[in-house]
Amino acid sequence: MKKANLIMLGAPGSGKGTRAVALCEILGIVQVSTGDLFRNNIKGGTELGRLAKSYINRGELVPDDVTAAMVKDRLSKPDTAGGFILDGFPRTLAQARALDEILGELGGEISYALYLDVPDGEIVRRISGRMICSECQAPYHREFNPPKSEGVCDKCGGKLFTREDDMPETVQKRLEVFRSTTLPLVDFYKAKGVLVEIPPELSDRGAVADMREVAEKLGLCAR
Ligand code: AMP
């Protein structure tokens, strides 16, 4: 199997998280979600968590240097050596350049940046049913990906909740930030020749079957 170092690009609510989880399962690689890392720090009451919270609750981005340092620390851990998928990073051109530097130092490179292009109206619909597990952060959706038992995580039995930054006004702000600051990364990775556009729904078979198809097409899947 080809070692996969992947980036998942897409607006908030585009399905990045669900697809990243599916790809990790298929390829046996590690998901690195900056949103999850920040939320874990908030939950743990760390200094980084306190700083991040003030930005996250306003729908703004946490400063580039803080975010890049956290990612560098995570990618330095041995479990990412067999491949990883970055979910929610990079989100700015400065972060994309910092990532090149980090990978240069650690001796790796990006295999593909997978871009989920989802229309705005659809995004609002998707975010408004979203819930995550308070324990393991697994993503759910009332309509598209409901848990077997209401309000309870299928994987760990944790309680599901709606993120504070998924409230409508904050979502609008996050979409603006995405358009102005993150969307230019599509051209950045296109110029590097690693951009792959993924339609929001390839089939009605669910994220795992869709991602298996993508992985096979890209030569990433041995199974
Ligand atoms: P997410 O779970 O990926 O939607 O991230 C939730 C929030 O965490 C974002 O709205 C930002 O406030 C913050 N965040 C996550 N990733 C980044 C990043 N790469 N750069 C800056 N802030 C981030």
Side-chain angles (χ1 to χ4, degrees), residues 12 16 34-36 38-39 55-56 59-62 67 87-91 95 130 163 165 174:
K16 296 193 296 299
T34 40
D36 285 353
F38 285 133
R39 282 185 288 275
Y55 293 94
I56 292 175
E60 290 171 12
L61 294 183
V62 179
T67 309
D87 166 12
F89 183 91
R91 265 171 148 106
Q95 290 181 10
R130 201 152 86 149
R163 282 164 42 177
D165 60 339
R174 289 166 67 207

mmCIF file of all heavy atoms in Angstrom, residues 12 16 34-36 38-39 55-56 59-62 67 87-91 95 130 163 165 174, ligand 1:
data_model
loop_
_atom_site.group_PDB
_atom_site.id
_atom_site.type_symbol
_atom_site.label_atom_id
_atom_site.label_comp_id
_atom_site.label_asym_id
_atom_site.label_seq_id
_atom_site.Cartn_x
_atom_site.Cartn_y
_atom_site.Cartn_z
ATOM 1 N N PRO A 12 -16.793 24.443 6.419
ATOM 2 C CA PRO A 12 -17.399 23.809 7.589
ATOM 3 C C PRO A 12 -18.706 23.159 7.166
ATOM 4 O O PRO A 12 -19.466 23.742 6.392
ATOM 5 C CB PRO A 12 -17.658 24.973 8.557
ATOM 6 C CG PRO A 12 -17.386 26.232 7.820
ATOM 7 C CD PRO A 12 -16.607 25.897 6.583
ATOM 8 N N LYS A 16 -16.143 16.952 5.671
ATOM 9 C CA LYS A 16 -14.708 16.617 5.787
ATOM 10 C C LYS A 16 -14.461 15.572 6.873
ATOM 11 O O LYS A 16 -13.771 14.598 6.649
ATOM 12 C CB LYS A 16 -13.868 17.820 6.260
ATOM 13 C CG LYS A 16 -13.789 18.985 5.396
ATOM 14 C CD LYS A 16 -12.676 19.927 5.844
ATOM 15 C CE LYS A 16 -12.807 20.574 7.203
ATOM 16 N NZ LYS A 16 -13.908 21.420 7.482
ATOM 17 N N THR A 34 -7.507 19.475 13.534
ATOM 18 C CA THR A 34 -7.112 20.602 14.402
ATOM 19 C C THR A 34 -8.300 21.038 15.266
ATOM 20 O O THR A 34 -8.112 21.406 16.419
ATOM 21 C CB THR A 34 -6.564 21.773 13.560
ATOM 22 O OG1 THR A 34 -7.354 21.919 12.383
ATOM 23 C CG2 THR A 34 -5.128 21.545 13.200
ATOM 24 N N GLY A 35 -9.525 20.957 14.715
ATOM 25 C CA GLY A 35 -10.705 21.295 15.516
ATOM 26 C C GLY A 35 -10.800 20.387 16.742
ATOM 27 O O GLY A 35 -11.006 20.843 17.865
ATOM 28 N N ASP A 36 -10.601 19.083 16.540
ATOM 29 C CA ASP A 36 -10.646 18.127 17.663
ATOM 30 C C ASP A 36 -9.518 18.409 18.661
ATOM 31 O O ASP A 36 -9.718 18.338 19.868
ATOM 32 C CB ASP A 36 -10.507 16.675 17.170
ATOM 33 C CG ASP A 36 -11.789 16.159 16.519
ATOM 34 O OD1 ASP A 36 -12.812 16.867 16.568
ATOM 35 O OD2 ASP A 36 -11.752 15.040 15.952
ATOM 36 N N PHE A 38 -8.067 21.244 19.280
ATOM 37 C CA PHE A 38 -8.438 22.431 20.074
ATOM 38 C C PHE A 38 -9.519 22.083 21.092
ATOM 39 O O PHE A 38 -9.435 22.472 22.252
ATOM 40 C CB PHE A 38 -8.940 23.562 19.168
ATOM 41 C CG PHE A 38 -7.847 24.266 18.402
ATOM 42 C CD1 PHE A 38 -7.986 24.524 17.041
ATOM 43 C CD2 PHE A 38 -6.689 24.696 19.043
ATOM 44 C CE1 PHE A 38 -6.987 25.181 16.334
ATOM 45 C CE2 PHE A 38 -5.681 25.347 18.341
ATOM 46 C CZ PHE A 38 -5.836 25.586 16.976
ATOM 47 N N ARG A 39 -10.552 21.344 20.649
ATOM 48 C CA ARG A 39 -11.651 21.009 21.577
ATOM 49 C C ARG A 39 -11.145 20.148 22.744
ATOM 50 O O ARG A 39 -11.579 20.316 23.876
ATOM 51 C CB ARG A 39 -12.803 20.325 20.826
ATOM 52 C CG ARG A 39 -13.677 21.327 20.039
ATOM 53 C CD ARG A 39 -14.879 20.667 19.402
ATOM 54 N NE ARG A 39 -14.512 19.824 18.277
ATOM 55 C CZ ARG A 39 -14.336 20.262 17.024
ATOM 56 N NH1 ARG A 39 -14.520 21.534 16.732
ATOM 57 N NH2 ARG A 39 -14.001 19.438 16.063
ATOM 58 N N TYR A 55 -11.293 32.378 20.123
ATOM 59 C CA TYR A 55 -11.428 32.503 18.662
ATOM 60 C C TYR A 55 -12.551 31.606 18.150
ATOM 61 O O TYR A 55 -13.378 32.022 17.352
ATOM 62 C CB TYR A 55 -10.117 32.116 17.976
ATOM 63 C CG TYR A 55 -8.999 33.080 18.256
ATOM 64 C CD1 TYR A 55 -8.101 32.849 19.300
ATOM 65 C CD2 TYR A 55 -8.838 34.234 17.498
ATOM 66 C CE1 TYR A 55 -7.076 33.734 19.572
ATOM 67 C CE2 TYR A 55 -7.814 35.125 17.760
ATOM 68 C CZ TYR A 55 -6.944 34.870 18.806
ATOM 69 O OH TYR A 55 -5.943 35.762 19.074
ATOM 70 N N ILE A 56 -12.560 30.372 18.607
ATOM 71 C CA ILE A 56 -13.509 29.379 18.090
ATOM 72 C C ILE A 56 -14.954 29.831 18.317
ATOM 73 O O ILE A 56 -15.778 29.764 17.410
ATOM 74 C CB ILE A 56 -13.257 27.998 18.745
ATOM 75 C CG1 ILE A 56 -11.912 27.452 18.251
ATOM 76 C CG2 ILE A 56 -14.385 27.004 18.428
ATOM 77 C CD1 ILE A 56 -11.487 26.163 18.905
ATOM 78 N N GLY A 59 -16.194 32.146 15.816
ATOM 79 C CA GLY A 59 -16.165 31.667 14.429
ATOM 80 C C GLY A 59 -14.921 32.133 13.687
ATOM 81 O O GLY A 59 -14.861 32.099 12.463
ATOM 82 N N GLU A 60 -13.903 32.578 14.462
ATOM 83 C CA GLU A 60 -12.662 33.058 13.836
ATOM 84 C C GLU A 60 -11.598 31.975 13.876
ATOM 85 O O GLU A 60 -11.721 31.003 14.619
ATOM 86 C CB GLU A 60 -12.152 34.294 14.602
ATOM 87 C CG GLU A 60 -13.039 35.493 14.393
ATOM 88 C CD GLU A 60 -12.676 36.648 15.311
ATOM 89 O OE1 GLU A 60 -11.608 36.603 15.954
ATOM 90 O OE2 GLU A 60 -13.487 37.578 15.383
ATOM 91 N N LEU A 61 -10.527 32.192 13.106
ATOM 92 C CA LEU A 61 -9.434 31.214 13.117
ATOM 93 C C LEU A 61 -8.482 31.494 14.267
ATOM 94 O O LEU A 61 -8.198 32.654 14.584
ATOM 95 C CB LEU A 61 -8.659 31.274 11.793
ATOM 96 C CG LEU A 61 -9.418 30.852 10.535
ATOM 97 C CD1 LEU A 61 -8.489 30.908 9.328
ATOM 98 C CD2 LEU A 61 -10.008 29.453 10.676
ATOM 99 N N VAL A 62 -7.980 30.450 14.861
ATOM 100 C CA VAL A 62 -6.924 30.559 15.869
ATOM 101 C C VAL A 62 -5.654 31.013 15.110
ATOM 102 O O VAL A 62 -5.459 30.603 13.949
ATOM 103 C CB VAL A 62 -6.715 29.176 16.553
ATOM 104 C CG1 VAL A 62 -5.614 29.234 17.583
ATOM 105 C CG2 VAL A 62 -8.036 28.691 17.168
ATOM 106 N N THR A 67 -1.497 27.440 15.745
ATOM 107 C CA THR A 67 -2.060 26.246 15.094
ATOM 108 C C THR A 67 -0.951 25.393 14.476
ATOM 109 O O THR A 67 -0.925 24.170 14.638
ATOM 110 C CB THR A 67 -3.078 26.675 14.023
ATOM 111 O OG1 THR A 67 -3.997 27.589 14.615
ATOM 112 C CG2 THR A 67 -3.834 25.501 13.471
ATOM 113 N N ASP A 87 -7.372 17.042 8.790
ATOM 114 C CA ASP A 87 -8.781 17.432 8.655
ATOM 115 C C ASP A 87 -8.932 18.805 9.321
ATOM 116 O O ASP A 87 -8.864 18.918 10.533
ATOM 117 C CB ASP A 87 -9.611 16.340 9.358
ATOM 118 C CG ASP A 87 -11.047 16.735 9.607
ATOM 119 O OD1 ASP A 87 -11.495 17.745 9.056
ATOM 120 O OD2 ASP A 87 -11.712 16.023 10.384
ATOM 121 N N GLY A 88 -9.072 19.851 8.496
ATOM 122 C CA GLY A 88 -9.212 21.207 9.060
ATOM 123 C C GLY A 88 -7.899 21.973 9.110
ATOM 124 O O GLY A 88 -7.832 23.051 9.678
ATOM 125 N N PHE A 89 -6.868 21.455 8.520
ATOM 126 C CA PHE A 89 -5.573 22.124 8.434
ATOM 127 C C PHE A 89 -4.911 21.722 7.129
ATOM 128 O O PHE A 89 -4.960 20.543 6.806
ATOM 129 C CB PHE A 89 -4.673 21.729 9.607
ATOM 130 C CG PHE A 89 -3.338 22.437 9.627
ATOM 131 C CD1 PHE A 89 -3.176 23.632 10.304
ATOM 132 C CD2 PHE A 89 -2.248 21.917 8.931
ATOM 133 C CE1 PHE A 89 -1.950 24.296 10.306
ATOM 134 C CE2 PHE A 89 -1.025 22.578 8.922
ATOM 135 C CZ PHE A 89 -0.878 23.754 9.616
ATOM 136 N N PRO A 90 -4.292 22.623 6.375
ATOM 137 C CA PRO A 90 -4.210 24.059 6.604
ATOM 138 C C PRO A 90 -5.495 24.786 6.230
ATOM 139 O O PRO A 90 -6.285 24.276 5.440
ATOM 140 C CB PRO A 90 -3.064 24.488 5.679
ATOM 141 C CG PRO A 90 -3.051 23.468 4.583
ATOM 142 C CD PRO A 90 -3.540 22.194 5.177
ATOM 143 N N ARG A 91 -5.685 25.975 6.799
ATOM 144 C CA ARG A 91 -6.858 26.800 6.492
ATOM 145 C C ARG A 91 -6.457 28.165 5.974
ATOM 146 O O ARG A 91 -7.325 28.976 5.664
ATOM 147 C CB ARG A 91 -7.690 26.996 7.758
ATOM 148 C CG ARG A 91 -8.844 26.005 7.925
ATOM 149 C CD ARG A 91 -9.402 26.206 9.316
ATOM 150 N NE ARG A 91 -10.800 25.958 9.448
ATOM 151 C CZ ARG A 91 -11.314 24.872 10.043
ATOM 152 N NH1 ARG A 91 -10.549 23.915 10.466
ATOM 153 N NH2 ARG A 91 -12.613 24.761 10.199
ATOM 154 N N GLN A 95 -0.498 28.859 6.733
ATOM 155 C CA GLN A 95 -0.477 27.505 7.315
ATOM 156 C C GLN A 95 0.009 26.482 6.288
ATOM 157 O O GLN A 95 0.712 25.533 6.622
ATOM 158 C CB GLN A 95 -1.856 27.103 7.827
ATOM 159 C CG GLN A 95 -2.294 27.865 9.061
ATOM 160 C CD GLN A 95 -3.660 27.436 9.567
ATOM 161 O OE1 GLN A 95 -4.224 26.446 9.124
ATOM 162 N NE2 GLN A 95 -4.194 28.198 10.502
ATOM 163 N N ARG A 130 -26.182 18.823 12.756
ATOM 164 C CA ARG A 130 -24.935 18.178 13.163
ATOM 165 C C ARG A 130 -24.819 18.021 14.682
ATOM 166 O O ARG A 130 -25.204 18.896 15.439
ATOM 167 C CB ARG A 130 -23.807 19.074 12.660
ATOM 168 C CG ARG A 130 -22.501 18.406 12.527
ATOM 169 C CD ARG A 130 -21.709 19.063 11.464
ATOM 170 N NE ARG A 130 -20.960 20.199 11.981
ATOM 171 C CZ ARG A 130 -19.802 20.580 11.486
ATOM 172 N NH1 ARG A 130 -19.284 19.945 10.455
ATOM 173 N NH2 ARG A 130 -19.183 21.621 11.973
ATOM 174 N N ARG A 163 -22.339 21.608 18.685
ATOM 175 C CA ARG A 163 -21.240 22.526 19.002
ATOM 176 C C ARG A 163 -21.730 23.967 19.060
ATOM 177 O O ARG A 163 -22.556 24.371 18.251
ATOM 178 C CB ARG A 163 -20.166 22.416 17.923
ATOM 179 C CG ARG A 163 -19.301 21.222 18.081
ATOM 180 C CD ARG A 163 -18.522 20.912 16.837
ATOM 181 N NE ARG A 163 -17.956 22.084 16.184
ATOM 182 C CZ ARG A 163 -17.193 22.018 15.101
ATOM 183 N NH1 ARG A 163 -16.936 20.860 14.547
ATOM 184 N NH2 ARG A 163 -16.706 23.097 14.562
ATOM 185 N N ASP A 165 -20.187 26.567 18.131
ATOM 186 C CA ASP A 165 -19.885 27.297 16.892
ATOM 187 C C ASP A 165 -20.682 26.776 15.694
ATOM 188 O O ASP A 165 -20.483 27.217 14.576
ATOM 189 C CB ASP A 165 -18.377 27.329 16.604
ATOM 190 C CG ASP A 165 -17.754 25.954 16.442
ATOM 191 O OD1 ASP A 165 -18.335 24.961 16.925
ATOM 192 O OD2 ASP A 165 -16.683 25.869 15.824
ATOM 193 N N ARG A 174 -18.117 31.633 9.907
ATOM 194 C CA ARG A 174 -17.150 30.602 9.521
ATOM 195 C C ARG A 174 -17.148 30.392 8.007
ATOM 196 O O ARG A 174 -16.104 30.138 7.418
ATOM 197 C CB ARG A 174 -17.464 29.285 10.245
ATOM 198 C CG ARG A 174 -17.150 29.379 11.738
ATOM 199 C CD ARG A 174 -17.765 28.238 12.511
ATOM 200 N NE ARG A 174 -17.171 26.959 12.182
ATOM 201 C CZ ARG A 174 -17.812 25.808 12.282
ATOM 202 N NH1 ARG A 174 -19.061 25.768 12.680
ATOM 203 N NH2 ARG A 174 -17.211 24.694 11.973
HETATM 204 P P1 AMP B 1 -13.487 22.474 12.805
HETATM 205 O O1 AMP B 1 -13.862 21.440 13.814
HETATM 206 O O2 AMP B 1 -12.438 22.002 11.846
HETATM 207 O O3 AMP B 1 -14.671 23.072 12.094
HETATM 208 O O4 AMP B 1 -12.795 23.678 13.636
HETATM 209 C C1 AMP B 1 -13.504 24.399 14.616
HETATM 210 C C2 AMP B 1 -12.820 25.719 14.873
HETATM 211 O O5 AMP B 1 -11.482 25.490 15.356
HETATM 212 C C3 AMP B 1 -12.634 26.620 13.659
HETATM 213 O O6 AMP B 1 -13.793 27.372 13.346
HETATM 214 C C4 AMP B 1 -11.473 27.502 14.114
HETATM 215 O O7 AMP B 1 -11.909 28.477 15.059
HETATM 216 C C5 AMP B 1 -10.597 26.508 14.869
HETATM 217 N N1 AMP B 1 -9.653 25.859 13.930
HETATM 218 C C6 AMP B 1 -9.658 24.569 13.509
HETATM 219 N N2 AMP B 1 -8.666 24.346 12.639
HETATM 220 C C7 AMP B 1 -8.010 25.532 12.496
HETATM 221 C C8 AMP B 1 -6.910 25.967 11.714
HETATM 222 N N3 AMP B 1 -6.271 25.142 10.857
HETATM 223 N N4 AMP B 1 -6.518 27.266 11.839
HETATM 224 C C9 AMP B 1 -7.116 28.106 12.686
HETATM 225 N N5 AMP B 1 -8.181 27.782 13.433
HETATM 226 C C10 AMP B 1 -8.631 26.502 13.342
#
